[in-house]
């Protein structure tokens, strides 16, 4: 055997070893690709289940949103009906404030609150107020007595 034949034999052995390692590597790649295919199939199944669940959830969420919109519209309608109430309460507050101010002014005028005003003018105002109150009381008493006499005339025992 010559040097050329030995070199060819070494090259053939190296090529055979290389082919064996390539075959082993290809087997491992084939196993890995089989695992990837299994994982991909499981992922596809999971995605199908998740998609169905999300579809059901989206339908329910849409229904809930529609109900919430209906409730909000109803609530807005009822709140708008209370607006006149709060306007009336605001007006009542203004009126009460005006009555308080008028009462203060009356009290000051009855007391003779201004400097240089004689106390007799205050007492004459109080006197007028008292006479008016007494006149109203007498009128009520007279009406009550008239009513009582009418009632006794028509009673039968």
């Amino acid at each position: 055997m010559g040097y050329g034949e030995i070199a060819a034999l070494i090259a053939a052995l190296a090529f055979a070893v290389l082919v064996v390692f390539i075959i082993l590597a290809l087997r491992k790649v084939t196993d890995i690709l089989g695992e990837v295919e299994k994982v991909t199939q499981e992922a596809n199944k999971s995605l199908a289940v998740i998609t169905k669940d999300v579809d059901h959830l989206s339908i329910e969420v849409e229904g809930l949103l529609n109900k919430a919109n209906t409730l909000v519209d109803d609530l807005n309608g009822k709140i708008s009906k209370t607006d006149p109430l709060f306007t009336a309460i605001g007006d009542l507050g203004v009126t009460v404030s005006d009555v308080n101010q008028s009462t203060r002014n009356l009290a000051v005028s009855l007391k003779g609150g201004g400097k240089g005003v004689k106390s007799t003018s205050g007492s004459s105002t109080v006197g007028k107020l008292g006479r008016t109150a007494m006149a109203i009381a007498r009128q009520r008493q007279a009406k009550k007595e008239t009513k009582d006499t009418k009632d006794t005339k028509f009673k039968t025992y």
Side-chain angles (χ1 to χ4, degrees), residues 85-101:
L85 172 68
F86 289 110
T87 302
I89 290 172
D91 292 344
L92 180 64
V94 170
T95 303
V96 168
S97 178
D98 291 344
V99 167
N100 284 338
Q101 186 61 39

Side-chain angles (χ1 to χ4, degrees), residues 69-141:
N69 285 339
T70 303
L71 288 173
V72 167
D73 290 341
D74 184 42
L75 186 62
N76 284 336
K78 289 179 180 176
I79 286 174
S80 67
K81 289 180 181 179
T82 62
D83 285 343
L85 172 68
F86 289 110
T87 302
I89 290 172
D91 292 344
L92 180 64
V94 170
T95 303
V96 168
S97 178
D98 291 344
V99 167
N100 284 338
Q101 186 61 39
S102 297
T103 306
R104 284 188 198 112
N105 292 341
L106 178 64
V108 167
S109 69
L110 290 178
K111 187 176 179 183
K115 290 185 178 178
V117 176
K118 295 182 181 178
S119 61
T120 57
S121 68
S123 54
S124 68
T125 306
V126 171
K128 288 179 185 176
L129 185 61
R131 284 189 293 270
T132 305
M134 287 301 290
I136 291 172
R138 282 188 206 116
Q139 287 175 354
R140 285 187 180 176
Q141 186 64 31

Side-chain angles (χ1 to χ4, degrees), residues 40-59:
T40 305
Q41 288 175 356
E42 287 179 21
N44 285 337
K45 288 177 185 177
S46 297
L47 282 175
V49 170
I50 290 171
T51 303
K52 287 178 185 177
D53 289 344
V54 167
D55 288 342
H56 292 295
L57 285 175
S58 67
I59 290 169

